[in-house]
Amino acid sequence: MFTRFLKEVTIKKFNLNRLNQPSHYSRAFSINTRFLKACSVCGNEIDQKLICPFKDCGSIQPPPYSINYFEFFELNPSYKIDPQSLRLKFFDIQRKTHPDNFYSKTNAGSSEDLSSWVNKAYETLKNPLSRAIYLLELNQVYIGESMELRDQSILLEIMELNEAIEDAQNADALHKIIIEVKVKLRDLENQIASEFDNKNYKEAQRLVINFKYFQNTLLSAQKRQEII
């Protein structure tokens, strides 16, 4: 009894201490610790499940703050991912842990917490830019909001594209710009993936900043296309 009580206290204390850790902190944890090994409510062994399988409990578990998003979706921590596999795993988890499946207020609240965490994890990995930024963070390389382009040639290209967007007189002109920028973004995605594969994180950081500026240019063109 005392051993079980001590285990429950240790698990709860562990998770409370993890809540405010930065996203890259989870690199130190093995994929074998993907979820709690014991239920956070009843303390029974749950074999790393999101929902306690014991009938007299059935509690949904807290979000697994101690792991990173790649581990949660059972993906290799790589820039190249299988979008379809990610999507299927996301919808399967959301279906099983949806708040409507839980009637008690306690479980419903826990389900909402988990659902919110899973949504954030999915959106982060689904988007090429946020996935790159997150992967950089896992390797202690960061991109701040104020970081500027270091490539003068890229900066000049961005300025010319923005001028072309402002000067565009019709949707066809904007469509050509949008296609051009999308080609740039696809090329940058391939370069970023290559630098991640080679563990050149500083070079990946530079390319991600370029990607960020081109994506903003794309959004500007698409926005203007809607009103022209």
Side-chain angles (χ1 to χ4, degrees):
M1 287 294 292
F2 178 76
T3 301
R4 177 175 168 181
F5 171 77
L6 183 61
K7 177 174 64 175
E8 291 180 38
V9 171
T10 301
I11 290 169
K12 292 178 181 179
K13 181 178 180 181
F14 175 82
N15 281 283
L16 287 173
N17 289 336
R18 313 301 311 158
L19 293 179
N20 296 317
Q21 294 290 350
S23 58
H24 63 270
Y25 188 89
S26 54
R27 284 187 77 211
F29 290 85
S30 164
I31 196 167
N32 292 327
T33 61
R34 289 194 308 113
F35 309 123
L36 295 175
K37 292 184 178 181
C39 176
S40 61
V41 176
C42 69
N44 286 314
E45 296 293 329
I46 59 174
D47 192 25
Q48 302 179 2
K49 292 180 172 62
L50 288 173
I51 302 172
C52 180
F54 290 86
K55 292 182 180 180
D56 59 344
C57 181
S59 297
I60 195 162
Q61 302 304 299
Y65 295 108
S66 64
I67 65 169
N68 68 53
Y69 298 157
F70 290 98
E71 290 174 331
F72 179 73
F73 286 111
E74 298 179 311
L75 299 171
N76 290 326
S78 168
Y79 186 68
K80 294 179 181 178
I81 64 171
D82 181 356
Q84 180 67 4
S85 175
L86 173 64
R87 182 174 178 273
L88 290 175
K89 289 177 181 178
F90 167 70
F91 283 116
D92 182 56
I93 293 170
Q94 285 294 71
R95 177 180 57 82
K96 292 177 180 177
T97 61
H98 194 278
D100 289 349
N101 296 332
F102 301 92
Y103 301 103
S104 73
K105 292 182 178 180
T106 301
N107 262 328
S110 299
S111 178
E112 289 173 1
D113 290 341
L114 179 62
S115 180
S116 177
W117 188 90
V118 172
N119 278 330
K120 182 180 179 182
Y122 174 68
E123 292 298 330
T124 298
L125 297 188
K126 182 179 73 169
N127 181 279
L129 178 58
S130 59
R131 181 169 69 248
I133 293 173
Y134 183 72
L135 192 53
L136 284 173
E137 288 180 355
L138 291 180
N139 292 281
Q140 288 80 51
V141 178
Y142 305 95
I143 293 181
E145 290 295 327
S146 60
M147 292 191 76
E148 298 180 354
L149 280 171
R150 288 173 283 178
D151 299 336
Q152 292 300 312
S153 60
I154 297 295
L155 179 59
L156 180 60
E157 187 175 359
I158 293 291
M159 292 173 63
E160 291 175 347
L161 283 168
N162 286 330
E163 288 179 4
I165 292 170
E166 292 179 4
D167 295 340
Q169 300 298 313
N170 53 61
D172 287 340
L174 284 168
H175 180 70
K176 291 180 181 179
I177 296 172
I178 289 171
I179 295 299
E180 179 183 350
V181 176
K182 284 184 175 180
V183 170
K184 291 283 186 182
L185 289 171
R186 281 197 296 270
D187 183 53
L188 278 170
E189 279 193 59
N190 291 331
Q191 293 180 55
I192 290 169
S194 177
E195 297 304 333
F196 273 122
D197 288 344
N198 294 322
K199 302 187 186 305
N200 295 328
Y201 301 122
K202 284 296 183 181
E203 180 60 16
Q205 179 193 49
R206 183 185 70 82
L207 293 171
V208 171
I209 293 171
N210 293 352
F211 188 100
K212 184 177 180 179
Y213 275 82
F214 275 111
Q215 187 173 80
N216 288 340
T217 300
L218 175 63
L219 294 174
S220 295
Q222 292 172 331
K223 185 176 180 179
R224 178 159 170 74
Q225 190 180 44
E226 292 175 357
I227 62 177
I228 197 169

